[in-house]
Amino acid sequence: MTRRPLIAGNWKMNKTVAAASELALHLCALRVPTALDVVICPPFTALAAVAERLRGSRIELGAQNMHDASHGAFTGEISPTMLRELAVTYVILGHSERRQYFGETDAAVARKVHAALDHGLTPIVAVGETATEHTAGHTLTKVVHQTRAAFAGLTPPQVARCVVAYEPIWAIGTGMIDEPASANATMEHIRASVHGLQNARLLYGGSMNADNAAALMAQPTIDGGLIGGASLTAAGFAGVIAAAAGATASQ
Ligand code: PGA
């Protein structure tokens, strides 16, 4: 089974509705190679406007987080039903910033993964080790634990519908990337850790950009990227897409 490469843009807490619409307009003008899937994840406030812009384009829409309940007394939260209404098809779950700053636990991430699948959304589950864990040699223990926790209780076909993003926390927004071969080795362990991940798409994330995307994507188990900073301009994101398409074509 071949895995379709996926490039996902995580805009984080950036861009007003006006700025998000403008970027989406520029992205719609890009030629997205047919061999590649592309998704952008704007903040909640801009989803509706960006959905409108993306109509008829090959670029899909993702959210950066969600609650696991479909509705209820959860002040400030956004449900999977609300996302589906806005034509959202992907949702990033368990990003390290959610885990670090908002106390998101492995158990909460697992509930959200179940809810996303129940509502027909594709979860992009983020896992990754801190700098301290990396230096101490605990990378594999950490990411395998996070991965198994996120997919607990799912069948292999359900797991295969998901996406995992391996994002070393020390590489996020720092300009440092994990060496492609090292990232690949870690991701092979992630792939082997849960039945069904053999057929799922695994992304690398953390300072991925137009200059390093081809080398990362040339690795056999890296199926794409979760792109933060480089997804905030049309030129930056276009560069990543072009590099990914080149790497995919030469495999
Ligand atoms: P970065 O962010 O590309 O800016 O390092 C990636 C992410 O956190 O998803």
Side-chain angles (χ1 to χ4, degrees):
M1 178 172 162
T2 50
R3 302 183 303 262
R4 275 179 71 77
L6 171 67
I7 298 296
N10 175 11
W11 294 3
K12 307 193 179 184
M13 195 175 72
N14 292 293
K15 301 203 182 287
T16 59
V17 176
S21 299
E22 195 187 328
L23 178 53
L25 192 65
H26 285 115
L27 294 176
C28 286
L30 299 179
R31 202 188 59 80
V32 176
T34 46
L36 208 65
D37 289 340
V38 174
V39 56
I40 51 176
C41 307
F44 288 130
T45 47
L47 285 173
V50 171
E52 198 58 40
R53 289 283 195 225
L54 293 184
R55 207 184 284 212
S57 100
R58 283 217 40 246
I59 301 178
E60 291 184 80
L61 189 60
Q64 300 172 18
N65 179 32
M66 65 169 208
H67 195 275
D68 60 282
S70 55
H71 63 274
F74 301 105
T75 301
E77 292 291 313
I78 302 288
S79 81
T81 317
M82 295 168 180
L83 297 181
R84 283 302 304 259
E85 186 187 26
L86 298 178
V88 168
T89 50
Y90 287 83
V91 59
I92 301 170
L93 297 175
H95 190 281
S96 59
E97 288 149 17
R98 302 269 348 142
R99 296 179 192 256
Q100 182 181 352
Y101 303 129
F102 305 99
E104 207 160 290
T105 62
D106 284 334
V109 175
R111 284 196 301 274
K112 292 178 183 201
V113 172
H114 277 260
L117 290 172
D118 285 348
H119 286 84
L121 293 161
T122 301
I124 301 176
V125 178
V127 299
E129 83 285 4
T130 63
T132 313
E133 289 162 342
H134 185 73
T135 329
H138 295 157
T139 299
L140 295 182
T141 321
K142 173 75 176 291
V143 298
V144 165
H145 173 84
Q146 285 182 321
T147 308
R148 289 195 174 136
F151 297 114
L154 296 177
T155 64
Q158 284 177 312
V159 174
R161 281 166 50 202
C162 301
V163 177
V164 179
Y166 167 55
E167 300 201 303
I169 295 170
W170 49 270
I172 295 177
T174 59
M176 290 188 289
I177 61 159
D178 197 4
E179 285 301 316
S182 160
N184 190 71
T186 302
M187 290 165 68
E188 276 175 358
H189 283 268
I190 292 172
R191 200 180 280 293
S193 67
V194 178
H195 288 306
L197 284 185
Q198 291 73 12
N199 298 323
R201 290 177 295 178
L202 263 55
L203 314 182
Y204 170 82
S207 298
M208 191 164 165
N209 58 34
D211 296 332
N212 56 37
L216 286 159
M217 291 212 33
Q219 296 291 325
T221 215
I222 302 184
D223 304 316
L226 182 56
I227 320 295
S231 74
L232 292 175
T233 62
F237 202 48
V240 177
I241 292 170
T248 305
S250 63
Q251 266 171 21

